[in-house]
Amino acid sequence: MMLDKNNRFLYGATKTQIFQVDLHDCNRFKTCSSCLSTQNPYCGWGTTINRCTIQQNENNDKRRFRWLQIYESCPTIIETAPVVISKGKSDRLHLKVASVPDDSTSKYFCSFALTSLLTETEENDTDTPIYISNAIKYENYITCYSPPPQALSNIAHDSIVIHLLYNDIILAEKNITFYDCSSYVT
């Protein structure tokens, strides 16, 4: 195997064919986890633009842009407190997070929906949020409010997905369980 003079293409051969691999073909990876799991040192995930790119093509404004590489982790909601939430009242949520960009000039939101938006499927394109709450980012956690009872009244699911948004970009998501005490008979 050999690299071209610009270190962009890798050339190799078998007994029956010669092949070329574009080492900078990062755009084909649509999620942070798929981008970083390739272990390609030329590719990285731009958290504030929500795509897999080569670093030299990206903005140098480090305050607003975070480029993750193979040794780093994708933005994640590690845990939520409380763990289970009542459908009967809106509650303040504390989301413990990792690898979320710090930018006091941007807006963070919690969006609640029925399906995941960070998986690579065509089905999730039509999922509209049940509720969107403003969020405040602290050092390693974010606070926002769960949906009010009227937003959940017609939802038959016990679990919905919370999406953490940075401006209009989905950074991370996690399933949250809701309970409805009025549905239980004693």
Side-chain angles (χ1 to χ4, degrees):
M1 287 199 254
M2 286 180 44
L3 286 171
D4 72 339
K5 65 180 180 177
N6 296 326
N7 290 331
R8 177 168 182 151
F9 295 100
L10 175 68
Y11 295 94
T14 66
K15 289 183 179 184
T16 58
Q17 73 181 51
I18 296 174
F19 61 89
Q20 169 187 304
V21 177
D22 183 353
L23 297 175
H24 296 184
D25 184 21
C26 305
N27 291 332
R28 65 187 166 122
F29 304 107
K30 303 301 180 201
T31 65
C32 180
S33 58
S34 66
C35 177
L36 299 186
S37 67
T38 67
Q39 300 288 302
N40 183 337
Y42 296 103
C43 294
W45 186 256
T47 57
T48 59
I49 58 172
N50 213 28
R51 65 185 173 126
C52 191
T53 67
I54 58 174
Q55 187 174 26
Q56 65 192 17
N57 286 347
E58 295 313 324
N59 190 340
N60 289 327
D61 182 359
K62 299 297 183 199
R63 178 183 59 80
R64 299 204 65 202
F65 181 76
R66 178 95 165 88
W67 196 71
L68 302 173
Q69 254 193 310
I70 55 177
Y71 55 87
E72 296 176 290
S73 62
C74 296
T76 308
I77 300 171
I78 299 168
E79 64 184 28
T80 62
V83 177
V84 181
I85 300 162
S86 170
K87 280 187 176 181
K89 68 177 182 133
S90 181
D91 208 353
R92 186 175 187 182
L93 302 176
H94 292 265
L95 312 176
K96 185 175 180 184
V97 295
S99 299
V100 171
D102 269 327
D103 182 2
S104 61
T105 65
S106 291
K107 296 185 186 236
Y108 296 88
F109 301 95
C110 293
S111 172
F112 299 83
L114 296 177
T115 60
S116 167
L117 296 176
L118 291 179
T119 54
E120 295 185 49
T121 65
E122 298 298 319
E123 301 167 5
N124 56 22
D125 290 341
T126 60
D127 190 28
T128 57
I130 297 166
Y131 179 73
I132 298 174
S133 166
N134 288 324
I136 300 172
K137 183 174 186 313
Y138 298 94
E139 189 170 326
N140 63 348
Y141 72 96
I142 289 178
T143 62
C144 61
Y145 284 88
S146 64
Q150 60 271 24
L152 298 172
S153 62
N154 294 327
I155 305 299
H157 298 68
D158 291 334
S159 176
I160 61 175
V161 181
I162 182 171
H163 303 117
L164 176 59
L165 284 80
Y166 170 87
N167 294 326
D168 290 331
I169 295 168
I170 298 172
L171 293 176
E173 64 185 21
K174 188 169 186 70
N175 283 336
I176 286 191
T177 302
F178 282 83
Y179 65 90
D180 182 4
C181 289
S182 66
S183 67
Y184 297 100
V185 178
T186 56

